[in-house]
């Protein structure tokens, strides 16, 4: 089984430690993991801004880069869900391999549903508040959306339960949007920040030291609010907790 | 900035009020949740509602004709109006024929859509809104800010002041029970004085020729009981096939709207009493055009419960008046675009694409997916924001050229932070710090062999 690591553009530039932890996590479970070079962006920002067609060359590039892998795994629920939803419309690959959309996974989803580890060698003796990101929850099904009357489950929670010492809580309004939303964060910046402040406040109210989740973009936005307001809570991508050795 | 962004920013200036608005509406969402969670069959009910509506939309002409035949047989006078103007003219004509002067009406978003009240007032007819919330916004001379809770943006103290001025209530008394009683006394006089009544229609049952009007205050029933002529207006998508399907919708409507198991009053109008008349006007006003739009016809499944507004984090924090269309929130963004992209394109930015609306909708209208689609149509329709276009062009340039991107990523950490982490950058201006560029990107670390198991 050949696994490729997909490191979204902003994770590459801002959070290499998230890419590193992803690699560690996958290889620690005995997987053969490669990182094809010259990755850029999946095209989600263009799509959400209303220029999905502009993502076509990016979709073609992604299809070519990842053509020969059985699984493509990335630490970002929203990027992965974009590839899944939009690439069947965007990429015109000739059928010599299965469309990337059917082989790409968000890393927690991949672990939870495909690799199914029963133990992880990780220790993180802290209280963390789970950030249930919109695309992770509502497009990808990482946990039960609060709108729907279906039994509660959370793949992130299940994985975190394999980490020694960690205490996991969820904020009030457990899956309300943090207000990032791609270009929404710029175009409607006042609303975006207002949502971000509310979300961070609810995470803080849990008494957690860290906000963690499967979307670096939400974490980036909330971290921006935290730093501006000099708040004490910090953000940490879930893969860093799943590989922590504290 | 889009017109929604501008108004939203202004609304958020009053932080305390925005927070209050958000909390008030989230409480409604939570009430809805409790109801939804209490029915094990909730998700299957939603699916049934969606399928019934799909079936209706697929055979709309047949259902409408069936409804008309049966309603006519029951003695209801059925009229057809292609546009809002036509509907208004028919209403005015009926009022004139009856020699009526005082119309008492229950809540109808269709009346708002067609600007019926001002039209009638210009013609010397007194129009009294009998729903309490609607009456409040009518006395305040403002528009409803929510389709189910029209006065949700008004605080009770403000209602107290308004009633003091308009209904001569006690000075400084804003006790809700007191104010409601006073409003009731005031409306009672209006009901007694009315010579014609109007209601909207929640559901029109094709197999029976019967229509349902749902209210919580019984004001529709009161109006129609007091007057000899009842005019009902309905959008042509309000059809449901039969009583079994009505049962599906009445179970969903109030639960989704206000978190009640059912509306306090659900009146079925089958035939006029002896000596009385019921006129029903079936209105198109752009609906068949929406029906023909394969991408967006799903909007016609909407039963106007307002749940998508209550759950929308943007609507809750920016209020109904931030939207330029008379219906706000995810529903309004979509209906506005169906009405006129030129006039209402400025609302499309007001969505973080959280998809909560799609999950909450009792008819499974895919509101967020629809907004995403509209965004794609903005540029082809010529209503896209030019600044946004430029940002996307710049991103395209970077992301299509790995060497350019890599070079950018390499220099970014060496650019002094103040250059981009400042008040000119909209990311920061509204209260956020820029993220920090890593000294070495993941790619560089990988190439240096630093990424290890
Ligand atoms: S779109 Fe759905 S949630 Fe929104 S008002 Fe209509 S029925 Fe209710």
């Amino acid at each position: 089984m050949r696994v490729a690591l997909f490191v979204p553009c902003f994770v590459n530039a801002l959070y290499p430690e998230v890419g590193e932890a992803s690699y560690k996590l996958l290889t620690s479970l005995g997987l053969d993991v490669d990182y094809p070079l010259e990755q850029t962006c999946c095209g989600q920002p263009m799509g959400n801004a209303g220029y999905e067609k502009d993502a076509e060359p990016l979709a073609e590039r992604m299809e070519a880069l990842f053509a020969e892998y059985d699984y493509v795994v990335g630490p970002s629920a929203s990027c992965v869900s974009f590839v899944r939803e939009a690439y069947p419309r965007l990429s015109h690959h000739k059928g010599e391999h299965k469309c990337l959309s059917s082989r790409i996974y968000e890393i927690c989803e991949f672990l939870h549903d495909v690799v199914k580890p029963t133990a992880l060698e990780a220790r993180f003796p802290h209280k963390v508040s789970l950030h249930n990101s919109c695309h992770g929850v509502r497009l990808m099904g990482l946990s039960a959306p609060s709108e729907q009357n279906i039994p509660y489950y959370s793949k992130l929670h299940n994985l975190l339960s394999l980490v020694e010492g960690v205490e996991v809580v969820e904020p009030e309004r457990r899956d309300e949007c943090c207000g990032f939303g791609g270009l929404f964060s710029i175009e409607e910046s006042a609303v975006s920040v207002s949502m971000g402040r509310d979300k961070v406040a609810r995470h803080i109210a849990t008494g957690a030291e860290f906000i963690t989740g499967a979307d670096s973009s939400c974490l980036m936005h909330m971290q921006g609010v935290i730093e501006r307001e000099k708040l004490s809570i910090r953000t940490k991508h879930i893969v860093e907790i799943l590989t922590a050795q504290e | 900035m889009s017109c929604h962004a501008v108004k939203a920013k202004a609304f958020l200036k009053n932080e305390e009020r925005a927070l209050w608005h958000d909390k008030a509406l989230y409480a409604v969402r939570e009430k809805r949740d409790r109801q939804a969670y209490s029915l094990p069959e909730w998700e299957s009910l939603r699916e049934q509602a969606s399928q019934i509506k799909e079936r209706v939309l697929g055979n709309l002409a047949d259902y409408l004709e069936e409804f008309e035949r049966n309603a006519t047989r029951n003695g209801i006078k059925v009229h057809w109006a292609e546009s809002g103007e036509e509907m208004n003219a028919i209403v005015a004509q009926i009022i004139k024929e009856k020699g009526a002067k005082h119309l008492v009406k229950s809540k109808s978003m269709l009346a708002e859509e067609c600007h019926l009240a001002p039209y009638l007032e210009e013609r010397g007819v007194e129009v009294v809104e009998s729903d309490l919330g609607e009456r409040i916004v009518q006395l305040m001379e403002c528009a409803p800010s929510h389709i189910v809770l029209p006065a949700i943006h008004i605080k009770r103290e403000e209602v107290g002041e308004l009633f003091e001025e308009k209904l001569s209530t006690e000075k400084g008394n804003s006790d809700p029970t007191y104010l409601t009683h006073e409003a009731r006394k005031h409306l009672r006089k209006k009901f007694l004085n009315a010579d014609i009544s109007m209601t909207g229609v929640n559901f029109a049952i094709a197999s029976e020729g019967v229509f349902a009007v749902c209210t919580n205050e019984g004001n529709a029933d009161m109006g129609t009981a007091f007057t000899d002529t009842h005019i009902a207006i309905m959008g042509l998508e309000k059809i449901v096939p039969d009583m079994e399907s009505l049962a599906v919708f009445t179970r969903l409507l109030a639960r989704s709207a206000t978190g009640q198991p059912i509306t306090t009053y659900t009146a079925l109008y089958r035939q006029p009493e002896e000596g009385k008349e019921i006129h029903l006007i079936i209105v198109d006003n752009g609906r068949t055009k929406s029906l023909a739009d394969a991408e967006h016809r799903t909007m016609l499944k909407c039963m106007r419960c307002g749940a998508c507004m209550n759950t929308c984090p943007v609507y809750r924090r920016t209020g109904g008046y931030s939207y330029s269309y008379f219906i706000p929130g995810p529903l309004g963004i979509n209906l506005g675009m169906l009405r006129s992209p030129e006039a209402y394109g400025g609302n499309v930015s007001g969505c973080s694409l959280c998809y909560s609306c799609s999950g909450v909708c009792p008819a499974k209208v895919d509101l967020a997916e629809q907004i995403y689609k509209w965004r794609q149509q903005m540029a082809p329709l010529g209503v896209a924001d030019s600044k946004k276009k430029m940002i996307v062009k710049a991103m395209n340039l970077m992301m299509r050229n790995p060497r350019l991107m890599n070079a950018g990523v390499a220099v970014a950490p060496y650019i002094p932070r103040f250059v981009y982490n400042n008040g000119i950058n909209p990311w920061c201006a509204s209260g956020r710090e820029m993220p920090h560029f890593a000294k070495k990107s993941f790619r560089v670390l990988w190439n240096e062999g630093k990424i290890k198991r």
Side-chain angles (χ1 to χ4, degrees), chain B residues 425-441:
Chain B
N425 180 347
W427 175 272
C428 305
S430 39
R432 231 174 346 202
E433 296 291 301
M434 278 292 279
H436 305 266
F437 288 96
K439 280 270 177 288
K440 285 182 179 176
S441 69

Side-chain angles (χ1 to χ4, degrees), chain B residues 46-65:
Chain B
R46 289 176 68 223
E47 182 57 33
Q48 282 180 54
S50 169
Q51 286 182 13
I52 293 169
K53 282 283 180 183
E54 294 282 358
R55 175 149 55 93
V56 167
L57 294 178
N59 305 281
L60 191 56
D62 294 343
Y63 280 116
L64 279 166
E65 282 177 7

Side-chain angles (χ1 to χ4, degrees), chain B residues 1-2 11 83 114 161 166 174 255 302 316 358 382:
Chain B
M1 269 208 270
S2 73
F11 185 86
S83 64
C114 303
E161 283 161 27
K166 305 268 176 172
S174 62
R255 286 189 167 90
C302 169
R316 275 189 270 109
S358 301

Side-chain angles (χ1 to χ4, degrees), chain B residues 111-163:
Chain B
E112 297 287 334
E113 176 184 320
C114 303
H115 311 289
L116 175 68
Y119 177 90
L120 293 178
E121 278 157 1
E122 273 166 32
R123 282 155 186 79
V125 180
E126 182 201 27
V127 178
V128 175
E129 297 287 351
S130 60
D131 172 273
L132 179 55
E134 280 288 341
R135 187 62 182 155
I136 292 170
V137 295
Q138 188 182 34
L139 290 173
M140 266 198 177
E141 293 170 34
C142 61
S145 73
H146 185 289
I147 63 169
V148 173
L149 311 160
I152 189 72
H153 62 296
I154 303 170
K155 294 195 172 184
R156 69 185 165 93
E157 292 78 15
E158 293 160 348
V159 177
E161 283 161 27
L162 175 76
F163 281 13

Side-chain angles (χ1 to χ4, degrees), chain A residues 12-13 40 47-50 52 54 61 135 138 146-147 149 176 185 187-188 192 198 221 224 227-228, chain B residues 4 29 37 39 43 316-317 349 353-354 356 372 375-376 388 396 399-400 402 432-433 436 438 443:
Chain A
N12 173 58
T40 60
N48 284 1
E52 190 183 276
D54 286 31
R61 148 178 290 283
H135 294 183
R138 300 192 187 87
S146 62
E147 294 82 18
N149 182 8
E176 187 185 26
S185 63
E187 209 182 2
E188 295 259 3
S192 169
D198 289 355
H221 161 69
E227 283 178 27
R228 172 62 62 93
Chain B
H4 178 270
R29 152 85 206 264
Y37 297 160
L39 286 193
E43 297 306 325
R316 275 189 270 109
R317 285 175 184 78
S349 64
L353 286 175
C354 79
S356 180
Y372 182 89
R375 286 204 178 150
Q376 311 311 319
K388 203 154 123 183
N396 285 344
M399 300 308 179
R400 288 175 191 178
R432 231 174 346 202
E433 296 291 301
H436 305 266
R443 178 181 167 278

